[in-house]
Every structure is written in structure tokens, then in C-alpha cells.
Amino acid sequence: MGFEQALSGLQAASQNLDVIGNNIANASTIGYKDATTQFADVYANTLGGGSTLQIGLGVDVAAVTPQFTQGTITTTGNPLNVAINGSGFFQEMNNGIVTYSRDGEFSTDANGNIVNTAGLQLLGYPANAAGTISAGPPVPLSLSQAPVPPAATTTSNVSLNLDANSTPIPVGTPFNPANSASYNSSTSMTVYDSQGNAHTLSLYFVNTAANAWSVYATGDGATLNGGAAVGALNFNTAGTLAGGANVTMNLSMPLTNGATNPLNFTTTFPDASTSQYGVAFAVNSNTQNGYTTGQLSGYSIGQNGVITGQYTNGQTLDLGQIALANFTNPQGLIAMGGNQFAQSATSGAPIVGAPGSGSLGSVQSGALENSTVDITTELVNMITAQRVYQANAETVKTEDQVQQTLMNLR
């Protein structure tokens, strides 16, 4: 028996207690992965063949290995809190150096960059002004505060029911939007010009005969098409559009405000939702594809990591996509502190892609991944490590007593 074995045991047990204590200290650290201590026995090098009289020289700590198991996910309501559900790491950059983390506590800085609590920038795939996401290498992501440019109306759709019991307007009655006796029903919608200015389109329906209707239109109160009808709706005896096809009308609205003149667009009456039944006139829907400019009012992140911005004009636009990275041997990553890991030769090169692709997990917005430390398990491990430390201390004490006995021999 020698002191070397006992001393190595004391040192290894002490390091094991350090690892357990570090786990307990990080029980509330977001994205933290509990570590385990791996031991290896130590033998002196021998020359020549093997020997049956080899006595070990003690123990050594071979590795301290993080266990990359899935932590429980807790919702927070903050859209920039992101949890990884499955394998993978966030990529973050600081002065050109890329590190990896499971901590998804993000926010935006003064420039709109998505950063973690230490100011490291989150990497991902950027989107252009049209919302198309690039497939190039990941770059620092930012939430553009630029407004969405306006779009002029090019198409509109109106779904309605015209009252089959309507009284036809007498032949020869000129259409006049100010004279309610010159039409049977009307509806209005807002359309937009190339500068995002809103204009009011009004449609008027004139029953000319059984199952026959003429459609007139005004733009901002002025009659269109020279006061003539812009189209007609004809129905069969079942009250559906004759011919069983959508009816499309071309409209042209003169403008004098500096926008593209005239404002040309189509209005479609869908066959499936345009009818003439014996009930009161009703508009089921009227939609159009134009909009005014809009400011960013909020954002959301999908399971595939796509960040979608919501704007004050009701439009949505993809702003980018979070990229994840995985490793052949995650245990080979180097812990850098601050919930960060660095690539090493042992971990292998990162495999980078969109969340949900390949072996990469999905992401959950408005949530965070909790630490994988189980306090009960760690306390039990601590008791065991303490017993091991005490046992090695007893070995030192016993060796000391043996030495004292030898010293007292006469």
C-alpha cells in the first residue's frame, strides 16, 4: 500500500465533488447540460511482457462529459425566447468567432440584431426585401425595421347574393349613384394605388330583367366607364351564375394624386359564391390584394425557425430563418462558459441546416429549455462521492499508521 493510490483517489473524488457542485449550481441555468465524471485506473508502464504482479497506481479523471439529453421546455410568452426540441445548437458569433449554445434567451439590440444575453449575435439565413430566404452560409440575423412598401390593387373578389325578389329598374332609367331609385343594391370596398393611397370602390347592381343584372361602379364617388355598366351578371333558374364560371370585370379608376394613372384592376364574382336567391341582398366577402405601407408591429418564429414579421397593414413577411448546428460527437465540444461551447477536433465539424432538417431538432418560440440537472440525483451522487473521499482518506490514515509502525521497530 502506498500514498500514491490514496492521494489519486482523494484528488479524483475531489474533482468529482467539484463536478457535482457545478451541476447543482447550474440547476436553474437555461440550456445547461449536467456533466458526469469519468474515471480511469492508472498503472506504471512495464517493459517486456505482461506481469501478474502489476499493482495499480490509483485513479485518474479521464474526462468530464456533458450529457446532451433533452431538457424540459417551459413557455415564457416572449417570441424571442427559443427552445430547441431535439438535437442541435444555436450558432452565435462574437467578433467573427462562432460558438454554440442551447440557451435560447434572445432579444434585439439597438440595431435590430438578434443577440443573446451576452451580446453574441444569433446566426441564420437572411431574407431579402421580398421575404425570400437565402440558402447561403448563415450570417448574423437582424429584424429589419424598414416599412413594407405599398402594393397597388390588381385583383378583387366579391361574393354576394342578389335578391331574386327585387323589382327590375324601369327601362330607360339612367344610372345615378346619388339616386337610389336607379339601382337595387350596392356595396363598397377599399382599393389602393401604387403609392398606398386608399380609394373607395363602390359597385351598384341594377336588376334589368328576370335573372339579369347590370353592374355599375364609382371610384371615390365618380362614375367609372363613362357612366356605362362595367359588366353584367346573369343567373340560371337555379339562382347560380349562368354558364357555371367566374365572372370577371375590368375596372379603370382615373387618379390625379401622382400615383400610377389610371388604377387598373379586375373584379371577380366567383361562381361558387355568387347567387341570386329569394333572400335579402347580402355580401359574404369582398377582398382585394392591395395594401398601404406598414410598420413592423410584431413577429413570430415557426418550428422550422422562420421568423415572420407582422405589419400594421395586415401583411406578413419572412425576415429570416434560424440555423442550427449539430456534431458527430457533441461530448467533444469545449465548454467556454456563458452557456457557450466551441468546436474541437474531437467534436468534429458542425453539420449546419434549418431546424427540422436531417438530424436537427425543431425550435419552439416563446419557450426555453431548462437545465437537465436533477437535484435529487445530484444529492445522491454527492453522498456517494463523499463516501469515496472518506474511504480514500482512511487509506491515507492506514498508510500513515503502517509507516509509524515501521518507524517504531527496534
Side-chain angles (χ1 to χ4, degrees), residues 133 300-308 317-322 355 363:
I133 295 175
S300 60
I301 302 175
Q303 291 186 345
N304 60 354
V306 173
I307 305 171
T308 302
L317 189 69
D318 290 343
L319 303 176
Q321 184 178 26
I322 296 172
V363 297

Side-chain angles (χ1 to χ4, degrees), residues 80-149:
L80 284 182
N81 285 165
V82 186
I84 299 175
N85 194 350
S87 300
F89 298 83
F90 298 111
Q91 296 183 96
E92 296 164 2
M93 178 179 287
N94 183 25
N95 295 324
I97 299 175
V98 178
T99 55
Y100 306 88
S101 177
R102 295 279 297 194
D103 184 356
E105 296 176 288
F106 299 113
S107 60
T108 54
D109 62 15
N111 297 317
N113 299 314
I114 302 178
V115 297
N116 70 357
T117 53
L120 277 64
Q121 292 179 282
L122 176 66
L123 300 187
Y125 305 108
N128 60 20
T132 302
I133 295 175
S134 169
V139 298
L141 289 176
S142 63
L143 298 179
S144 173
Q145 301 299 311
V148 171

